[in-house]
Amino acid sequence: NHLVTVGEVNGKRPIIGNNVSIYTGAIIIGGISIGDNVKIGAGSVVTKNIPANSTVVGNPARIITK
């Protein structure tokens, strides 16, 4: 989506699972893993692993549903 950033830190890149929705302005950065069927809310900043079938929002991102 618009203005989404997926970036690396010290050569480590995120691993993004299948069927992941990343909404406007979200940032995913570093050597983290995003599970399958995850929804990342608009403007979220994700710097930690996210388990499958979760919804995350906020800065820093926090899990609101599993």
Side-chain angles (χ1 to χ4, degrees):
N1 279 335
H2 189 66
L3 296 173
V4 169
T5 301
V6 178
E8 68 177 56
V9 173
N10 298 325
K12 295 181 180 179
R13 299 177 187 149
I15 298 171
I16 300 174
N18 296 314
N19 197 36
V20 174
S21 298
I22 306 171
Y23 293 95
T24 305
I27 299 170
I28 303 169
I29 190 165
I32 62 172
S33 179
I34 307 296
D36 295 337
N37 305 309
V38 169
K39 293 180 183 178
I40 300 173
S44 297
V45 178
V46 183
T47 58
K48 295 183 179 177
N49 294 333
I50 305 298
N53 304 307
S54 299
T55 300
V56 298
V57 296
N59 180 4
R62 65 186 192 290
I63 298 171
I64 60 168
T65 61
K66 286 187 181 180

